[in-house]
Amino acid sequence: MKTLKLKVPASTANLGVGFDSIGMALDKYLEVEAHLSADEKWHFEHIGPHLLGLPNDETHYITNIANRATEKFNKEMPALNLKMFSDIPLARGLGSSASALVTGLYLANHFANLKLSKYELLQLATEIEGHPDNVAPTIYGGLVLGVYDPELNHTDVSYIDIPKVDVIATIPEYELSTEKARKVLPETLFLKEAVKYSAISNTMISALIQHNYELAGKMMMKDGFHEPYRQHLIPDFHNIKQVAIEHGAYATFISGAGPTVLTFIKKELSGKLVRALQDEFKNCESELVTINRFGASQEIINL
Ligand code: HSE
């Protein structure tokens, strides 16, 4: 039987001041094996702790996305049998819903024969998500900058080299929904503030391009678009940042909408810091994560 195997990475969004625009793919994955369902009904088998409690029938989010994509192109989405494994914890700011969204689009692309390119899949993913910062790196890999124009319904993206730093994720045991973390943000900013934070963001990107991680890190920690409004939702954020800075980190910032906290640090210093974070913040899992370079991948196998 022909089976489609997908491996779809996690992602971290914002990188401090790149709110809703900048994201980076990480080597944690949603892995899926899918084939046509014999009884024409959707069946999901979830493996591992992170997918516990998700529906195992057509009410699944992934079915919804696949149907939405096929309807847009006036095609039929066949029902599938899916086996899914994930090491991306849910509602932690590591792009688990973007990886599910991209999975739904890849399934539609293959099984409804849409023949969409990665560029077209990105357009569709951003139209659904509303911003490209998780879906773009999930599809393409690496560090991606993007902008979605809702009036034109169009997304443009650009890339820069992945930073030559070690990345530590400090993942709290509690969840924080993106919805809740977006509700605390202000509706509008004064022009003066918008100019300030976009200048900081510009400088951050230029510093990353020049591999000047001291300056990039300094800029990442001057965000004014989301972190000041969200930090109270992550009680350990301030102390994690303190410990990281004492250990020589370049920057510590909220991953996506949180509650995961991400740290960029020199390779020589990362081991000592990850152990210190693990010792000090027992209600969090601190781990070194590598950056994914190539984004979502698929292969067809005969099982
Ligand atoms: N940029 C988004 C946010 C990422 O911070 O709310 C999560 O969707």
Side-chain angles (χ1 to χ4, degrees):
M1 185 185 313
K2 278 207 184 330
T3 296
L4 177 72
K5 275 183 84 168
L6 296 174
K7 203 169 169 191
V8 183
S11 54
T12 181
N14 301 332
L15 268 68
V17 77
F19 181 68
D20 273 3
S21 170
I22 303 174
M24 194 170 72
L26 299 173
D27 280 325
K28 281 182 172 293
Y29 294 93
L30 175 60
E31 293 183 58
V32 179
E33 281 180 17
H35 59 83
L36 290 172
S37 170
D39 64 2
E40 298 185 11
K41 291 196 176 111
W42 286 80
H43 300 278
F44 287 82
E45 184 190 344
H46 296 119
I47 301 163
H50 297 306
L51 303 174
L52 278 180
L54 292 179
N56 54 17
D57 58 14
E58 75 286 348
T59 59
H60 203 287
Y61 176 68
I62 286 179
T63 309
N64 179 292
I65 295 294
N67 285 336
R68 210 165 144 178
T70 34
E71 276 160 26
K72 198 176 163 82
F73 295 94
N74 298 318
K75 297 255 188 158
E76 286 266 311
M77 182 70 207
L80 302 176
N81 250 308
L82 295 115
K83 200 194 274 187
M84 296 183 21
F85 165 81
S86 176
D87 62 356
I88 313 172
L90 301 187
R92 300 303 208 292
L94 290 169
S96 62
S97 64
S99 61
L101 195 167
V102 169
T103 296
L105 296 182
Y106 269 69
L107 292 172
N109 203 25
H110 179 75
F111 288 102
N113 201 19
L114 303 182
K115 300 206 183 296
L116 301 175
S117 65
K118 279 200 172 195
Y119 175 85
E120 290 165 323
L121 289 166
L122 170 72
Q123 300 300 322
L124 209 47
T126 312
E127 181 186 339
I128 297 169
E129 182 95 330
H131 40 90
D133 51 344
N134 286 111
V135 289
T138 299
I139 292 172
Y140 284 112
L143 203 165
V144 189
L145 298 78
V147 55
Y148 173 58
D149 182 338
E151 274 149 42
L152 299 177
N153 191 20
H154 180 80
T155 303
D156 286 305
V157 290
S158 185
Y159 318 87
I160 57 176
D161 282 353
I162 60 168
K164 294 178 177 57
V165 298
D166 271 3
V167 180
I168 298 171
T170 301
I171 309 170
E173 58 194 8
Y174 57 86
E175 298 186 350
L176 174 56
S177 78
T178 300
E179 196 190 344
K180 182 174 173 191
R182 288 184 88 84
K183 273 200 182 127
V184 298
L185 302 179
E187 284 280 312
T188 54
L189 288 183
F190 287 114
L191 178 66
K192 210 169 124 184
E193 292 171 297
V195 169
K196 174 177 168 188
Y197 297 118
S198 80
I200 291 171
S201 186
N202 296 341
T203 309
M204 188 262 270
I205 292 303
S206 170
L208 277 178
I209 291 169
Q210 295 183 348
H211 302 283
N212 180 349
Y213 303 120
E214 276 85 11
L215 180 59
K218 182 176 163 192
M219 295 298 120
M220 282 175 190
M221 291 199 294
K222 282 179 179 278
D223 167 59
F225 290 125
H226 76 118
E227 283 197 352
Y229 308 103
R230 285 175 165 169
Q231 51 194 1
H232 70 280
L233 300 171
I234 307 165
D236 287 323
F237 178 53
H238 176 78
N239 293 338
I240 292 169
K241 189 149 71 170
Q242 203 69 26
V243 171
I245 299 304
E246 279 162 20
H247 282 74
Y250 293 122
T252 295
F253 47 88
I254 299 172
S255 179
T260 292
V261 175
L262 225 72
T263 295
F264 279 8
I265 187 164
K266 255 192 199 111
K267 293 175 191 293
E268 298 87 326
L269 302 176
S270 62
K272 204 167 166 206
L273 176 59
V274 76
R275 291 188 293 276
L277 290 169
Q278 193 57 60
D279 283 350
E280 205 136 330
F281 302 95
K282 302 272 190 227
N283 58 343
C284 301
E285 191 57 43
S286 288
E287 55 186 88
L288 280 155
V289 280
T290 48
I291 301 167
N292 166 285
R293 289 165 179 272
F294 302 109
S297 63
Q298 65 174 38
E299 69 176 305
I300 296 153
I301 50 168
N302 281 308
L303 279 183

